[in-house]
Amino acid sequence: MIDFLIAGGGPAGLTAALYAARAGIKPVVLEGLPGGRLQEIEKLENYPGFPDGINGPELAAAMRAQALRFGTVFRMGESLASLRQQPDRSFLCTTDFGETLEARCVLLATGTEPARLGIPGEDKFLGRGVSTCATCDGAFFKDKTVLVAGTEADCVAGALYLSRICRLVLVSVVSPNKPSLPAALHRARQTPAIEWLDDTLPLEILPRNDQRGVGAVRLRHASETFERSVDGVFVLLGDTPAVRPLGNLLPLAPDGGIIVDSESGASSVPGLYAAGDVVSNAVRQVATAVGSGCVAAMGAIRYIHRFAPGSST
């Protein structure tokens, strides 16, 4: 049985692993993407200790190496798929590879995942013409036509970036949340390469003739349905806490995050902790993720020593 299973290899999970390993508990980390969302940060300038900044992958590698030095076990590329608690309060954890692991204590540091439109074709073409990150994937659409759909602020930022790469950027604001700053919105409205599809919602993402990528999108304006040819679709709706492995194990906050005790990182389920961006009302910064990973690790260490199944104390 694993004493301490950590789901997530971002800054919260890596910090928790470091603290647990130094306390003599050998944590096992299902790291998924090593470093988590740190891999997307080109230059991090607001993390203390680096006056000239540091790129995300470099910081992630240093954090991982430090946790590894003290005995952390990393299962590279594996993620937590599901979780359930047994009568003795231990957990059965299933990975996305289908393997079942048993753990005395679990920390969820799974971060966030991009919100989706929920329309036909979106999942089918994810990574094959559908993207959730303009700066990550914009270069693949040089001189092409794309649709950006999301909140106003995300659409404005994404469209302005893509307008320097793509031939034409169509914009559909699908959510009233996150209004854009007026100056940025005005600039986006005046950019020739950006076409605004006001009061228009995407209904379906359609394939190319060869079925291997995106060829068009079906949209609705008022009662009219029509199609526009596009080479790609960027879904920019922000992020939501990545809590799918929990199922119905515990109630979530209205924002979709996990409610934890601020002094221990403990959830309402004994032995289950959470840290980082997956926590309700989290301030989503690397520095706060590190802090919450430390708090949750300390809480988990106390739990393992005092209350975990099979404990001698």
Side-chain angles (χ1 to χ4, degrees), residues 169-239:
V169 181
L170 308 175
V171 177
S172 168
V173 175
V174 302
S175 170
N177 298 328
K178 289 182 64 178
S180 178
L181 294 174
L185 178 60
H186 177 75
R187 186 153 59 95
R189 289 278 184 180
Q190 301 303 312
T191 299
I194 299 176
E195 179 182 339
W196 287 79
L197 304 177
D198 292 319
D199 301 316
T200 301
L201 299 176
L203 299 178
E204 184 178 3
I205 298 169
L206 303 170
R208 299 192 311 235
N209 289 337
D210 63 8
Q211 303 291 314
R212 297 178 64 182
V214 173
V217 61
R218 180 174 292 119
L219 303 125
R220 182 179 66 226
H221 175 77
S223 60
E224 178 188 2
T225 299
F226 62 98
E227 294 181 11
R228 290 289 299 266
S229 295
V230 296
D231 301 291
V233 175
F234 287 86
V235 180
L236 305 179
L237 277 166
D239 297 322

Side-chain angles (χ1 to χ4, degrees), residues 42-281:
E42 183 176 348
K43 191 172 185 180
L44 185 65
E45 296 183 317
N46 61 357
Y47 190 73
F50 299 93
D52 297 321
I54 184 171
N55 70 57
E58 183 180 351
L59 180 60
M63 288 180 170
R64 188 182 189 277
Q66 191 174 10
L68 188 64
R69 174 191 165 202
F70 288 101
T72 299
V73 175
F74 287 94
R75 297 178 66 124
M76 185 180 298
E78 288 190 72
S79 299
L80 183 64
S82 65
L83 178 72
R84 65 183 178 90
Q85 193 168 42
Q86 303 186 100
D88 68 351
R89 296 195 305 187
S90 66
F91 295 89
L92 283 181
C93 311
T94 303
T95 74
D96 54 356
F97 290 172
E99 184 178 358
T100 298
L101 306 172
E102 194 171 8
R104 300 186 191 280
C105 183
V106 173
L107 170 67
L108 284 184
T110 45
T112 59
E113 57 189 0
R116 302 287 184 85
L117 293 168
I119 61 175
E122 183 180 23
D123 289 341
K124 179 179 179 180
F125 293 109
L126 188 64
R128 296 189 296 135
V130 174
S131 171
T132 57
C133 179
T135 55
C136 304
D137 298 327
F140 295 112
F141 297 90
K142 183 176 174 59
D143 298 326
K144 296 184 181 295
T145 297
V146 298
L147 171 75
V148 172
T151 68
E152 184 181 82
D154 291 318
C155 282
V156 165
L160 286 171
Y161 175 80
L162 292 167
S163 68
R164 302 194 296 268
I165 301 170
C166 302
R167 182 179 65 82
L168 179 63
V169 181
L170 308 175
V171 177
S172 168
V173 175
V174 302
S175 170
N177 298 328
K178 289 182 64 178
S180 178
L181 294 174
L185 178 60
H186 177 75
R187 186 153 59 95
R189 289 278 184 180
Q190 301 303 312
T191 299
I194 299 176
E195 179 182 339
W196 287 79
L197 304 177
D198 292 319
D199 301 316
T200 301
L201 299 176
L203 299 178
E204 184 178 3
I205 298 169
L206 303 170
R208 299 192 311 235
N209 289 337
D210 63 8
Q211 303 291 314
R212 297 178 64 182
V214 173
V217 61
R218 180 174 292 119
L219 303 125
R220 182 179 66 226
H221 175 77
S223 60
E224 178 188 2
T225 299
F226 62 98
E227 294 181 11
R228 290 289 299 266
S229 295
V230 296
D231 301 291
V233 175
F234 287 86
V235 180
L236 305 179
L237 277 166
D239 297 322
T240 60
V243 294
R244 281 183 289 180
L246 288 175
N248 297 319
L249 186 60
L250 80 174
L252 301 174
D255 66 359
I258 301 171
I259 301 168
V260 299
D261 176 73
S262 61
E263 295 183 359
S264 68
S267 75
S268 59
V269 174
L272 180 62
Y273 293 75
D277 292 357
V278 75
V279 171
S280 174
N281 293 319

